[in-house]
Amino acid sequence: MKTIIEPFKIKSVEPIKFTTREQREEILKEAGYNPFMIKAEDVLIDLLTDSGTSAMSARQWAGIMDGDESYAGSKSFFRFESTVKKITGHKYIIPTHQGRAAEKILFSIVGGKGKYIPNNTHFDTTRANIEFTGAEAVDLLNETGKHPEIRADFKGNMDVEALDEFIAKVGKENVPLVMITITNNSGGGQPVSMKNIRDVKEVCKKYDIPLFLDACRFAENAYFIKKREKGYENKPVLEIAQEIFSYADGATMSAKKDALVNIGGFLSMNDENLAMQCRNLLIVTEGFPTYGGLAGRDLEAVAQGLEEVLNEHYLQYRIRSTEYFGEKLISAGIPIIEPPGGHAIYIDAKRFLPHIPPHQYPGQSIVCELYLDGGVRAVEIGSVMFGKYDKDGKLIPPPMELVRLAIPRRVYTQSHIDYVAEVVIEAYKNREKLKGYKITYEAPMLRHFTARFEQI
Ligand SMILES: *Cc1c(COP(=O)(O)O)cnc(C)c1O
């Protein structure tokens, strides 16, 4: 087989700024050793997130020019609506400015004290929007998903038995809906199988509870199903996506992921009464139901992006390029979550830096080294992001210390990725010299964004 190539050519380029190691030492120091505080233009390769960082196609840019900015009933809305309907099959399509706006609206209606929302793993904004209403967000991930070193095809699957038991325990009247996140972002971008979605749906049916998808990376998940699940190898990805959505009564979506745009999202559902309540809230916080917090041009770009993301050459390149990056690190002996997921590579910082304990933030140490050595920006997902304190002020670390290298869609080429792999491998060779960090400033909430550190 020949090399899988980027399925596009480049019409417009954006220069990246090179810096010296001395400059980066100064920049990182100024930023309090927190890459979130570095100016983006001082980053050579930015793998902070795959959200809203996609390169748009010429056709999407043409759609931007063609957008209809009418307040009500814009033609761009109808194109957007028909594209989302084609993929989801859902009756009511409500545009929002991004994923969390869809979550906020949905959970303001179905959430509240005493309610429980199960999911394979809640993404942090989903959890925050649920908990903000007083409801409880519950993760019911299958066992393989909890072990970074175990290779399995569908590590994003929900534990179906645990779901059934959970609903029986808390009472179906207290579970307004069940969610499945595809792919499972917080669990390493791992896919969920069609069988699992079907089995979860059966449990939902038994208790008469609607199933909603957190569908941010539905196309990547559909492609994994095509590659890994028996019976789907010859099915077009669009049909696989349609089947996934056919089991769901609704979905929330951040278009900043698999709609290949820089802003946008939506809420879709079949229940007319719920849709009416959602639209009423939408008008208060987002805007009129035919634009919902977006410009007409954004709706055009989302519609076009949703068509492009289901192109199988695109998905083959997307999934393969993430896997290629992962393989390079694995073959250098670097511990990562295996197998690689769809949108990112996650380094297991505990195994990478066994000499640095969680309370000295091994993930932060790696993130700083990648920037210092190569100008690469990654993000710590471990004790900095999720650590809590006990009553004596001692750190309670989360189960895993990870560093995420998220890959923006259609932005970097294979040589960029080769370069990043070289930087990570160099850091691994020097791992014994890496030092831990301590926090010198932190905000009371979401401290990872603004915390300042010092090397120990
Ligand atoms: C990004 C994301 C969201 C939130 O979407 P925003 O557009 O960032 O508000 C929700 N769920 C998952 C799985 C995500 O990856």
Side-chain angles (χ1 to χ4, degrees):
M1 197 157 121
K2 298 202 173 62
T3 303
I4 294 165
I5 60 173
E6 285 83 4
F8 47 79
K9 48 186 183 169
I10 297 166
K11 192 192 277 286
S12 179
V13 297
E14 185 180 350
I16 47 182
K17 190 172 107 186
F18 287 81
T19 48
T20 62
R21 184 171 175 116
E22 290 69 45
Q23 287 170 324
R24 289 193 294 275
E25 274 168 6
E26 199 47 44
I27 292 164
L28 192 62
K29 194 167 152 218
E30 290 263 306
Y33 297 93
N34 183 351
F36 272 111
M37 305 297 279
I38 298 173
K39 287 185 189 141
E41 68 166 1
D42 290 331
V43 175
L44 188 67
I45 302 211
D46 203 346
L47 306 185
L48 193 63
T49 176
D50 67 321
S51 178
T53 51
S54 296
M56 293 211 293
S57 67
R59 284 219 174 162
Q60 284 177 296
W61 283 109
I64 292 273
M65 211 48 231
D66 202 33
D68 174 3
E69 304 303 341
S70 304
Y71 191 92
S74 139
K75 92 173 157 42
S76 300
F77 170 74
F78 293 108
R79 178 179 178 205
F80 162 84
E81 184 190 42
S82 76
T83 309
V84 177
K85 275 188 177 173
K86 183 176 83 186
I87 296 167
T88 64
H90 294 154
K91 288 197 191 115
Y92 304 100
I93 312 299
I94 299 169
T96 60
H97 80 273
Q98 59 185 83
R100 70 195 71 182
E103 293 164 355
K104 168 80 180 160
I105 290 169
L106 180 64
F107 293 114
S108 297
I109 295 163
V110 306
K113 216 171 155 40
K115 302 276 197 249
Y116 299 86
I117 314 284
N119 200 331
N120 46 354
T121 312
H122 285 283
F123 182 65
D124 48 14
T125 61
T126 322
R127 172 176 292 279
N129 274 303
I130 290 167
E131 291 178 348
F132 188 74
T133 72
E136 214 172 294
V138 182
D139 292 341
L140 299 173
L141 187 64
N142 81 95
E143 192 56 34
T144 59
K146 297 175 192 164
H147 301 278
E149 69 289 351
I150 295 179
R151 285 189 85 95
D153 284 342
F154 293 104
K155 291 175 76 171
N157 282 355
M158 187 180 266
D159 184 335
V160 181
E161 257 173 54
L163 174 68
D164 197 332
E165 282 165 20
F166 180 80
I167 300 172
K169 189 180 84 188
V170 303
K172 66 174 189 173
E173 64 285 358
N174 295 319
V175 183
L177 57 85
V178 171
M179 273 195 125
I180 304 180
T181 303
I182 54 171
T183 57
N184 186 23
N185 184 356
S186 310
Q190 300 291 328
V192 177
S193 71
M194 194 73 88
K195 176 170 187 310
N196 190 249
I197 297 171
R198 225 182 280 126
D199 291 347
V200 169
K201 177 65 181 177
E202 283 308 309
V203 174
C204 291
K205 261 196 196 147
K206 175 172 147 191
Y207 293 104
D208 197 23
I209 295 171
L211 173 63
F212 269 63
L213 295 173
D214 179 339
C216 299
R217 298 178 182 80
F218 75 95
E220 291 174 6
N221 202 98
Y223 190 75
F224 277 117
I225 288 174
K226 182 173 176 121
K227 287 285 133 188
R228 296 181 180 174
E229 193 162 349
K230 223 170 152 300
Y232 291 94
E233 48 279 70
N234 298 316
K235 261 205 166 180
V237 174
L238 171 62
E239 283 176 30
I240 297 173
Q242 287 167 331
E243 185 181 338
I244 292 174
F245 282 105
S246 75
Y247 301 123
D249 303 281
T252 58
M253 165 96 185
S254 168
K256 299 171 73 169
K257 319 311 178 14
D258 266 356
L260 301 170
V261 291
N262 308 119
I263 196 75
F266 61 80
L267 192 50
S268 68
M269 64 196 68
N270 286 328
D271 183 315
E272 186 178 0
N273 181 40
L274 180 62
M276 189 189 68
Q277 293 180 66
C278 288
R279 284 199 181 115
N280 289 344
L281 266 188
L282 184 84
I283 291 179
V284 179
T285 60
E286 290 277 295
F288 191 72
T290 62
Y291 69 83
L294 292 169
R297 55 181 171 269
D298 298 324
L299 295 168
E300 285 286 338
V302 170
Q304 181 61 33
L306 286 172
E307 283 173 19
E308 292 175 10
V309 80
L310 290 164
N311 177 300
E312 301 202 9
H313 289 294
Y314 163 75
L315 283 167
Q316 181 191 38
Y317 140 80
R318 170 75 179 157
I319 300 304
R320 175 60 196 147
S321 53
T322 305
E323 182 186 53
Y324 168 86
F325 180 26
E327 281 170 2
K328 286 211 143 189
L329 302 189
I330 292 167
S331 67
I334 296 172
I336 65 168
I337 294 190
E338 292 195 50
H343 68 286
I345 293 297
Y346 292 72
I347 297 172
D348 184 345
K350 262 190 206 169
R351 284 188 286 151
F352 192 112
L353 295 176
H355 63 286
I356 301 182
H359 69 272
Q360 294 182 5
Y361 309 111
Q364 196 66 21
S365 176
I366 296 172
V367 159
C368 287
E369 180 64 16
L370 299 183
Y371 181 72
L372 282 176
D373 186 53
V376 172
R377 179 154 68 171
V379 63
E380 193 264 9
I381 302 190
S383 283
V384 176
M385 196 180 268
F386 294 126
K388 298 200 167 103
Y389 293 114
D390 68 12
K391 60 180 188 336
D392 304 321
K394 208 167 145 256
L395 178 83
I396 310 168
M400 290 199 262
E401 301 290 337
L402 302 173
V403 169
R404 184 182 78 175
L405 298 139
I407 306 175
R409 295 169 180 77
R410 304 191 294 205
V411 172
Y412 294 117
T413 64
Q414 185 169 337
S415 53
H416 288 119
I417 294 300
D418 286 339
Y419 171 86
V420 176
E422 287 164 15
V423 173
V424 180
I425 291 166
E426 186 71 20
Y428 191 59
K429 282 186 186 144
N430 293 328
R431 63 190 178 278
E432 274 156 28
K433 290 188 215 126
L434 299 195
K435 302 235 161 61
Y437 282 79
K438 64 172 192 236
I439 293 180
T440 58
Y441 162 78
E442 64 186 291
M445 277 170 72
L446 297 171
R447 64 175 181 176
H448 56 284
F449 289 124
T450 53
R452 299 184 71 84
F453 298 84
E454 252 170 38
Q455 210 177 59
I456 294 170

Coordinates of all heavy atoms in Angstrom, one line a residue, residues 382-439:
G382 N -4.1 16.2 34.3 CA -3.7 15.4 35.4 C -4.0 16.2 36.7 O -5.0 16.9 36.8
S383 N -3.0 16.2 37.6 CA -3.2 16.9 38.9 C -3.4 18.4 38.8 O -4.0 19.0 39.7 CB -2.1 16.5 39.8 OG -2.3 15.2 40.3
V384 N -2.8 19.0 37.8 CA -3.0 20.5 37.6 C -4.4 20.7 37.3 O -5.1 21.6 37.9 CB -2.0 21.1 36.6 CG1 -2.3 22.6 36.4 CG2 -0.6 20.8 36.9
M385 N -4.9 20.0 36.3 CA -6.3 20.2 35.8 C -7.4 19.7 36.8 O -8.4 20.4 37.0 CB -6.5 19.6 34.4 CG -7.7 20.1 33.7 SD -7.8 19.4 32.0 CE -6.9 20.5 31.0
F386 N -7.2 18.5 37.3 CA -8.2 17.9 38.1 C -7.9 17.6 39.5 O -8.7 17.1 40.2 CB -8.6 16.6 37.4 CG -9.2 16.8 36.0 CD1 -8.7 16.1 34.9 CD2 -10.3 17.6 35.9 CE1 -9.3 16.3 33.7 CE2 -10.9 17.8 34.6 CZ -10.4 17.1 33.5
G387 N -6.7 18.0 40.0 CA -6.4 17.8 41.4 C -7.3 18.6 42.3 O -7.7 19.7 42.0
K388 N -7.6 17.9 43.5 CA -8.3 18.6 44.5 C -7.5 18.6 45.8 O -6.5 17.8 45.9 CB -9.6 17.9 44.7 CG -10.5 17.9 43.5 CD -12.0 17.6 43.9 CE -12.9 18.0 42.7 NZ -13.3 16.8 42.0
Y389 N -7.9 19.3 46.8 CA -7.2 19.3 48.1 C -8.1 18.7 49.2 O -9.3 18.9 49.2 CB -6.8 20.7 48.5 CG -5.8 21.4 47.6 CD1 -6.1 22.5 46.9 CD2 -4.5 20.8 47.6 CE1 -5.1 23.1 46.1 CE2 -3.5 21.4 46.8 CZ -3.8 22.5 46.0 OH -2.9 23.1 45.2
D390 N -7.5 17.9 50.1 CA -8.2 17.4 51.2 C -8.3 18.5 52.3 O -7.7 19.6 52.1 CB -7.7 16.1 51.8 CG -6.3 16.2 52.4 OD1 -5.8 17.4 52.6 OD2 -5.7 15.2 52.6
K391 N -8.9 18.2 53.4 CA -9.0 19.3 54.4 C -7.7 19.8 55.0 O -7.7 20.9 55.5 CB -10.0 18.9 55.5 CG -9.6 17.7 56.3 CD -10.7 17.4 57.3 CE -10.3 16.3 58.3 NZ -9.3 15.3 58.0
D392 N -6.7 19.0 54.9 CA -5.4 19.5 55.4 C -4.5 20.1 54.3 O -3.3 20.4 54.4 CB -4.6 18.3 55.9 CG -5.3 17.6 57.0 OD1 -6.0 18.3 57.8 OD2 -5.3 16.3 57.1
G393 N -5.2 20.4 53.1 CA -4.5 21.0 52.0 C -3.5 20.1 51.2 O -2.7 20.5 50.5
K394 N -3.7 18.8 51.4 CA -2.9 17.8 50.7 C -3.6 17.5 49.4 O -4.8 17.3 49.3 CB -2.8 16.5 51.5 CG -1.5 15.8 51.3 CD -1.2 14.7 52.3 CE -0.6 13.5 51.7 NZ -1.4 12.4 51.4
L395 N -2.8 17.4 48.3 CA -3.3 17.1 47.0 C -4.0 15.7 46.9 O -3.4 14.7 47.3 CB -2.2 17.2 45.9 CG -2.7 16.9 44.5 CD1 -3.3 18.1 43.8 CD2 -1.5 16.3 43.6
I396 N -5.2 15.7 46.3 CA -5.9 14.4 46.0 C -5.7 14.3 44.5 O -6.5 15.0 43.7 CB -7.4 14.4 46.4 CG1 -7.5 14.9 47.8 CG2 -7.9 13.0 46.1 CD1 -9.0 15.1 48.2
P397 N -4.8 13.5 44.0 CA -4.6 13.5 42.5 C -5.7 12.7 41.8 O -6.3 11.8 42.4 CB -3.3 12.8 42.4 CG -3.1 12.0 43.6 CD -3.9 12.6 44.7
P398 N -6.0 13.0 40.5 CA -6.9 12.1 39.8 C -6.2 10.8 39.4 O -5.0 10.7 39.6 CB -7.2 13.0 38.5 CG -5.9 13.8 38.3 CD -5.4 14.0 39.7
P399 N -7.0 9.8 38.9 CA -6.3 8.5 38.6 C -5.2 8.6 37.6 O -4.2 7.8 37.7 CB -7.5 7.7 38.1 CG -8.7 8.4 38.2 CD -8.4 9.8 38.6
M400 N -5.2 9.5 36.7 CA -4.2 9.5 35.6 C -3.5 10.8 35.5 O -4.1 11.9 35.8 CB -4.7 9.1 34.3 CG -5.2 7.6 34.2 SD -5.3 7.1 32.5 CE -7.1 7.2 32.3
E401 N -2.2 10.8 35.2 CA -1.4 12.0 34.9 C -1.1 12.0 33.4 O -0.3 11.2 33.0 CB -0.1 12.1 35.7 CG -0.3 12.0 37.2 CD -0.9 13.3 37.8 OE1 -0.8 14.3 37.2 OE2 -1.5 13.2 38.9
L402 N -1.8 12.8 32.6 CA -1.6 12.7 31.2 C -1.1 14.0 30.6 O -1.3 15.1 31.2 CB -3.0 12.3 30.5 CG -3.6 11.0 31.0 CD1 -5.0 10.9 30.3 CD2 -2.8 9.8 30.6
V403 N -0.5 13.9 29.4 CA -0.2 15.1 28.6 C -0.9 14.9 27.2 O -0.7 13.9 26.6 CB 1.3 15.3 28.4 CG1 1.5 16.4 27.3 CG2 1.9 15.7 29.7
R404 N -1.8 15.8 26.8 CA -2.5 15.6 25.6 C -1.9 16.5 24.5 O -1.7 17.7 24.6 CB -4.0 16.0 25.8 CG -4.8 15.8 24.5 CD -6.2 16.2 24.6 NE -6.4 17.6 24.5 CZ -7.5 18.3 24.5 NH1 -8.6 17.6 24.6 NH2 -7.5 19.6 24.3
L405 N -1.7 15.8 23.4 CA -1.2 16.5 22.1 C -2.4 16.4 21.2 O -2.6 15.3 20.5 CB 0.0 15.8 21.6 CG 1.3 15.9 22.5 CD1 2.0 14.6 22.6 CD2 2.2 17.0 22.2
A406 N -3.2 17.4 21.1 CA -4.4 17.3 20.2 C -4.0 17.8 18.8 O -3.2 18.7 18.7 CB -5.5 18.2 20.8
I407 N -4.6 17.2 17.8 CA -4.2 17.5 16.5 C -5.3 18.3 15.7 O -6.4 17.7 15.5 CB -3.9 16.2 15.7 CG1 -2.8 15.4 16.6 CG2 -3.3 16.5 14.3 CD1 -2.4 14.1 16.1
P408 N -5.1 19.5 15.5 CA -6.0 20.3 14.7 C -6.3 19.7 13.3 O -5.4 19.1 12.8 CB -5.3 21.7 14.6 CG -4.4 21.8 15.7 CD -3.9 20.4 15.9
R409 N -7.5 19.8 12.9 CA -7.9 19.2 11.6 C -7.4 19.9 10.4 O -7.6 21.1 10.2 CB -9.4 19.0 11.5 CG -9.9 18.0 12.6 CD -11.4 18.1 12.7 NE -11.9 17.1 13.8 CZ -11.8 17.4 15.1 NH1 -11.3 18.5 15.5 NH2 -12.1 16.5 16.0
R410 N -6.6 19.2 9.5 CA -6.2 19.8 8.2 C -5.2 20.9 8.4 O -4.9 21.7 7.4 CB -7.3 20.2 7.3 CG -8.4 19.2 7.1 CD -9.4 19.5 6.0 NE -10.2 20.7 6.3 CZ -11.4 20.9 5.8 NH1 -11.9 20.0 4.9 NH2 -12.2 21.9 6.1
V411 N -4.5 21.0 9.5 CA -3.7 22.2 9.8 C -2.2 21.9 9.6 O -1.4 22.6 9.0 CB -3.9 22.8 11.2 CG1 -2.9 23.8 11.5 CG2 -5.3 23.3 11.3
Y412 N -1.8 20.7 10.1 CA -0.3 20.4 10.1 C -0.1 19.2 9.1 O -1.0 18.4 9.0 CB 0.2 20.0 11.5 CG 0.1 21.2 12.4 CD1 -0.7 21.2 13.6 CD2 0.9 22.4 12.2 CE1 -0.7 22.3 14.4 CE2 0.9 23.5 13.0 CZ 0.1 23.5 14.1 OH 0.1 24.5 15.0
T413 N 1.1 19.2 8.5 CA 1.4 18.2 7.6 C 2.2 17.1 8.3 O 2.6 17.2 9.5 CB 2.3 18.7 6.4 OG1 3.5 19.2 7.0 CG2 1.6 19.9 5.7
Q414 N 2.6 16.0 7.5 CA 3.3 14.9 8.1 C 4.7 15.4 8.7 O 5.1 14.9 9.7 CB 3.5 13.8 7.1 CG 4.2 12.6 7.7 CD 4.1 11.4 6.7 OE1 3.3 11.3 5.8 NE2 5.0 10.5 6.9
S415 N 5.3 16.3 8.0 CA 6.6 16.7 8.5 C 6.5 17.5 9.8 O 7.4 17.5 10.7 CB 7.5 17.5 7.5 OG 6.7 18.6 7.0
H416 N 5.4 18.3 10.0 CA 5.2 18.9 11.3 C 5.1 17.8 12.4 O 5.6 18.0 13.5 CB 3.8 19.7 11.3 CG 3.9 21.0 10.5 ND1 3.1 21.2 9.4 CD2 4.7 22.1 10.6 CE1 3.3 22.4 8.9 NE2 4.3 22.9 9.6
I417 N 4.3 16.8 12.1 CA 4.1 15.7 13.1 C 5.4 15.0 13.3 O 5.7 14.6 14.5 CB 3.0 14.8 12.6 CG1 1.6 15.5 12.5 CG2 2.9 13.5 13.5 CD1 1.2 16.1 13.9
D418 N 6.2 14.8 12.3 CA 7.5 14.1 12.5 C 8.4 15.0 13.4 O 9.1 14.5 14.3 CB 8.3 14.0 11.1 CG 7.7 12.9 10.3 OD1 7.0 12.0 10.8 OD2 7.9 12.9 9.0
Y419 N 8.3 16.3 13.2 CA 9.1 17.2 14.1 C 8.6 17.1 15.6 O 9.4 17.0 16.5 CB 8.9 18.6 13.6 CG 9.4 19.7 14.5 CD1 10.8 20.1 14.5 CD2 8.6 20.3 15.5 CE1 11.3 21.1 15.3 CE2 9.1 21.3 16.3 CZ 10.4 21.6 16.3 OH 10.9 22.6 17.1
V420 N 7.3 17.1 15.8 CA 6.8 17.0 17.1 C 7.2 15.7 17.8 O 7.7 15.6 18.9 CB 5.2 17.1 17.2 CG1 4.7 16.9 18.6 CG2 4.8 18.4 16.6
A421 N 7.2 14.6 17.0 CA 7.6 13.3 17.5 C 9.1 13.4 17.9 O 9.5 12.9 19.0 CB 7.4 12.2 16.5
E422 N 9.9 14.0 17.1 CA 11.3 14.2 17.5 C 11.5 14.9 18.8 O 12.3 14.6 19.7 CB 12.1 15.0 16.4 CG 12.3 14.1 15.1 CD 12.7 15.0 13.9 OE1 13.1 16.2 14.1 OE2 12.7 14.5 12.8
V423 N 10.7 16.0 19.0 CA 10.7 16.8 20.2 C 10.3 15.9 21.5 O 11.0 15.9 22.5 CB 9.8 18.0 20.1 CG1 9.7 18.8 21.5 CG2 10.3 19.0 19.0
V424 N 9.3 15.1 21.3 CA 8.8 14.3 22.4 C 9.9 13.2 22.7 O 10.2 12.9 23.9 CB 7.4 13.6 22.1 CG1 7.0 12.7 23.3 CG2 6.4 14.6 21.8
I425 N 10.4 12.6 21.7 CA 11.4 11.6 21.9 C 12.7 12.1 22.6 O 13.3 11.5 23.5 CB 11.8 10.9 20.5 CG1 10.6 10.1 20.0 CG2 13.0 10.0 20.7 CD1 10.6 9.6 18.6
E426 N 13.1 13.4 22.2 CA 14.2 14.0 22.8 C 13.9 14.2 24.3 O 14.8 14.0 25.2 CB 14.4 15.4 22.1 CG 15.6 16.2 22.5 CD 17.0 15.5 22.1 OE1 17.0 14.7 21.2 OE2 18.0 15.9 22.8
A427 N 12.7 14.7 24.6 CA 12.3 14.9 26.0 C 12.4 13.6 26.8 O 12.8 13.5 27.9 CB 10.9 15.5 26.1
Y428 N 12.0 12.5 26.1 CA 12.0 11.2 26.8 C 13.5 10.7 27.0 O 13.8 10.2 28.1 CB 11.3 10.2 25.9 CG 11.0 8.8 26.6 CD1 10.3 8.8 27.8 CD2 11.5 7.6 26.1 CE1 10.0 7.6 28.4 CE2 11.3 6.4 26.7 CZ 10.6 6.4 27.9 OH 10.3 5.2 28.5
K429 N 14.4 11.0 26.1 CA 15.8 10.7 26.3 C 16.3 11.4 27.5 O 17.2 10.9 28.2 CB 16.6 11.0 25.0 CG 16.4 10.0 24.0 CD 17.3 10.2 22.8 CE 17.1 9.3 21.6 NZ 17.3 10.0 20.3
N430 N 15.9 12.7 27.7 CA 16.4 13.5 28.8 C 15.5 13.4 30.1 O 15.7 14.2 31.0 CB 16.4 15.0 28.4 CG 17.4 15.2 27.3 OD1 18.5 14.5 27.2 ND2 17.1 16.1 26.4
R431 N 14.7 12.4 30.1 CA 13.6 12.4 31.2 C 14.2 12.4 32.6 O 13.6 13.0 33.5 CB 12.7 11.2 31.0 CG 13.3 9.8 31.1 CD 12.3 8.7 30.7 NE 12.9 7.4 30.8 CZ 13.6 6.8 29.8 NH1 13.9 7.5 28.7 NH2 14.0 5.6 29.9
E432 N 15.4 11.8 32.8 CA 15.9 11.8 34.1 C 16.3 13.2 34.6 O 16.4 13.4 35.8 CB 17.1 10.8 34.2 CG 16.6 9.4 34.4 CD 17.6 8.3 34.0 OE1 18.8 8.6 33.9 OE2 17.1 7.2 33.6
K433 N 16.6 14.1 33.6 CA 17.0 15.4 34.1 C 15.7 16.3 34.3 O 15.9 17.4 34.8 CB 17.8 16.1 32.9 CG 19.2 15.4 32.8 CD 20.1 16.2 31.9 CE 21.0 15.3 31.1 NZ 20.9 15.4 29.6
L434 N 14.6 15.9 33.9 CA 13.4 16.7 34.1 C 13.0 16.9 35.6 O 13.2 15.9 36.3 CB 12.2 16.2 33.3 CG 12.4 16.2 31.8 CD1 11.0 16.0 31.1 CD2 13.0 17.4 31.2
K435 N 12.5 18.1 35.9 CA 12.3 18.3 37.4 C 10.7 18.5 37.6 O 10.0 18.9 36.6 CB 13.0 19.6 37.8 CG 14.5 19.5 37.6 CD 15.2 19.8 38.9 CE 16.6 19.3 38.9 NZ 17.5 19.9 37.8
G436 N 10.3 18.4 38.8 CA 8.9 18.7 39.1 C 8.7 20.1 39.3 O 9.6 21.0 39.2
Y437 N 7.4 20.5 39.5 CA 7.0 21.9 39.6 C 6.2 22.1 40.9 O 5.5 21.1 41.3 CB 6.2 22.4 38.4 CG 7.1 22.7 37.2 CD1 7.6 21.6 36.4 CD2 7.5 24.0 36.9 CE1 8.5 21.9 35.3 CE2 8.3 24.2 35.9 CZ 8.8 23.2 35.1 OH 9.7 23.5 34.0
K438 N 6.1 23.3 41.4 CA 5.2 23.6 42.4 C 4.4 24.8 42.0 O 4.8 25.7 41.2 CB 5.9 23.8 43.8 CG 6.8 25.0 43.8 CD 7.3 25.2 45.3 CE 7.9 26.6 45.4 NZ 9.3 26.5 45.9
I439 N 3.1 24.9 42.5 CA 2.2 26.0 42.1 C 2.5 27.2 43.1 O 2.6 27.0 44.3 CB 0.8 25.5 42.3 CG1 0.5 24.5 41.2 CG2 -0.2 26.7 42.1 CD1 -1.0 23.9 41.2

